[in-house]
Amino acid sequence: SQTIHQWPATLVQPVGSPLSLECTVEGTSNPNLYWYRQAAGRGLQLLFYSVGIGQISSEVPQNLSASRPQDRQFILSSKKLLLSDSGFYLCAWIAAPNEKLFFGSGTQLSVL
Amino acid sequence: GNSVTQMEGPVTLSEEAFLTINCTYTATGYPSLFWYVQYPGEGLQLLLKATKADDKGSNKGFEATYRKETTSFHLEKGSVQVSDSAVYFCALSDRGNTPLVFGKGTRLSVIA
């Protein structure tokens, strides 16, 4: 069966520090992968999505970046965190268009 | 572009009350429609879906009917329980490789 792993679950980082959040999917191949951010009062915001290795589409300009070094690995990064980067980050995957989206358990990031 | 608008929360109901969470959409073509639920501290999970006009999705006592004429997909439940307290997201997929578009979410609190 397919599973999605996302870590860490919680993270507290100072302003200006780097960030690396990792997401891996098991039990499927060539999934479409997504990073969403859920900030208080702003709902679910799509940050990046990837339809294949090395292919990244950015939905919102910001100081975050994403990479997909392997088929089932999706990494969210930042060189210097801002206070506004605080939020709940969710990784998700979908096997095919129009199928349901599977979400990871999320990472609560607090930038202080 | 595609968009989803759902009623603002929070919604507070007593146990066994009737629930309606409104959702309307704007899309080109014939999208698939979804309701996702996020329980406290967790990622999102699919609650129900409908893929064509007049389809009714249902799960765990929740229902939603795809209404093309009113571009709506309202979520209903006849008798809510405390365990239904969560954030509910309406979403659409245009069947291509583009990511799901989510509404901002509606927080539901059910009190005993």
Side-chain angles (χ1 to χ4, degrees):
Chain A
S1 62
Q2 303 94 346
T3 55
I4 179 169
H5 300 282
Q6 186 182 342
W7 68 92
T10 59
L11 192 60
V12 180
Q13 292 285 98
V15 170
S17 64
L19 173 73
S20 180
L21 302 181
E22 190 160 344
C23 172
T24 59
V25 180
E26 296 178 358
T28 187
S29 59
N30 198 33
N32 286 1
L33 296 171
Y34 306 87
W35 277 110
Y36 286 90
R37 176 170 63 199
Q38 187 176 18
R42 295 183 62 185
L44 209 60
Q45 179 186 35
L46 177 66
L47 301 176
F48 301 94
Y49 71 97
S50 171
V51 298
I53 295 174
Q55 301 178 61
I56 308 294
S57 296
S58 175
E59 291 293 303
V60 182
Q62 58 217 317
N63 71 318
L64 299 171
S65 62
S67 61
R68 186 169 177 175
Q70 300 179 39
D71 180 46
R72 289 169 286 178
Q73 184 184 28
F74 204 24
I75 298 172
L76 182 69
S77 304
S78 173
K79 292 181 179 178
K80 289 185 178 182
L81 284 168
L82 305 173
L83 286 174
S84 57
D85 292 325
S86 294
F88 190 53
Y89 288 81
L90 289 159
C91 180
W93 73 275
I94 193 168
N98 203 39
E99 293 297 316
K100 73 176 185 180
L101 204 58
F102 293 91
F103 284 86
S105 53
T107 297
Q108 183 64 54
L109 171 66
S110 299
V111 182
L112 306 177
Chain B
N2 298 336
S3 68
V4 173
T5 303
Q6 61 183 105
M7 64 187 288
E8 298 275 339
V11 174
T12 303
L13 295 174
S14 299
E15 211 166 20
E16 300 184 3
F18 184 87
L19 168 72
T20 299
I21 301 178
N22 290 339
C23 171
T24 58
Y25 67 90
T26 302
T28 55
Y30 303 95
S32 291
L33 301 173
F34 306 80
W35 276 102
Y36 281 81
V37 58
Q38 183 182 30
Y39 296 105
E42 299 181 12
L44 279 70
Q45 55 186 280
L46 180 67
L47 180 60
L48 53 85
K49 65 184 275 191
T51 58
K52 61 182 188 297
D54 299 326
D55 266 3
K56 178 185 286 188
S58 61
N59 185 24
K60 299 180 180 181
F62 290 89
E63 293 183 339
T65 301
Y66 189 144
R67 301 287 188 198
K68 188 170 183 298
E69 63 276 13
T70 54
T71 61
S72 65
F73 193 54
H74 304 323
L75 182 68
E76 296 181 336
K77 185 173 185 181
S79 176
V80 294
Q81 304 301 313
V82 172
S83 56
D84 294 325
S85 298
V87 181
Y88 292 83
F89 292 89
C90 186
L92 72 81
S93 166
D94 69 358
R95 304 173 184 268
N97 259 336
T98 53
L100 264 69
V101 175
F102 285 87
K104 291 189 174 182
T106 302
R107 182 176 298 278
L108 169 67
S109 296
V110 180
I111 54 178

